[in-house]
Amino acid sequence: MKLLHLDASSLGQHSVSRALTAAVVAQITRENTNATVTYRDLTAQPLPHWTPVVDAASEAAKLGDAVMEEFLAADVVVIGAPMYNFSVPSQLKAWIDRIMVAGKTFSYSEKGPQGLVTGKKVIVVSSRGGVYSTGPAAAMDFQESYLRTVFGFIGATDVEFIRAEGVNLSAEHKTNAVAAAHVTIGAVASKVA
Ligand SMILES: Cc1cc2nc3c(=O)[nH]c(=O)nc-3n(C[C@H](O)[C@H](O)[C@H](O)COP(=O)(O)O)c2cc1C
């Protein structure tokens, strides 16, 4: 089993999502001793904004190819996705811009777009300061809905969300949200085999 682990939080050791993706990967590797992990820290080593490839031998082109190969090779992709301004951090967006490639992960035909990705499980750790799963802010969630759309578009429809929300409302909210996320991790990670 090949596992790709991505983090995108800028909050370092204070990050909720980094701690939770680490817990997801720890459980999966504990329960699947054949798993090999590729780690990419999208904040420590940010990908540049996408630009057209004019030289296939350029560093930018090679980096894009490496990102795509890591993604295509992975059976399981674990993504730390904080909510930044109702969506995802631009560091994660830069990675998404490298994996949404016509002819590689999706194709167009007269019947419309078709996803080319099969047999991949995506586990997203979603952290956010407020509450969006219910209540009036639900319509402002362009983070989880965006990620579900992105992965669904390329055929990766097996997407699980591990959510820690309301973490900035109070210390108690944060403690409860992280505890709830760990319960979800136990259920989600144990299904990975
Ligand atoms: C630049 C930035 C933008 C943010 N935007 C939002 C937002 O739109 N809605 C929200 O509920 N929380 C927002 N937050 C709070 C984060 O979602 C929250 O702190 C979350 O825990 C971040 O994940 P992390 O702890 O893994 O870094 C923002 C935080 C930062 C740093």
Side-chain angles (χ1 to χ4, degrees), residues 63-144:
L63 190 56
D65 289 346
V67 166
M68 178 63 88
E69 276 165 31
E70 281 169 12
F71 174 68
L72 292 177
D75 303 297
V76 182
V77 184
V78 178
I79 304 174
M83 178 185 275
Y84 282 4
N85 299 313
F86 312 107
S87 182
V88 297
S90 55
Q91 290 91 341
L92 180 55
K93 177 63 165 56
W95 179 84
I96 290 168
D97 289 342
R98 297 309 193 299
I99 62 151
M100 306 295 283
V101 178
K104 289 262 188 188
T105 51
F106 69 93
S107 63
Y108 282 120
S109 71
E110 315 87 74
K111 291 191 207 132
Q114 194 188 349
L116 301 177
V117 175
T118 54
K120 209 176 290 298
K121 184 172 197 72
V122 180
I123 300 173
V124 176
V125 170
S126 157
S127 52
R128 47 245 204 134
V131 172
Y132 298 82
S133 60
T134 56
M140 296 182 219
D141 177 6
F142 300 100
Q143 170 211 19
E144 293 186 10

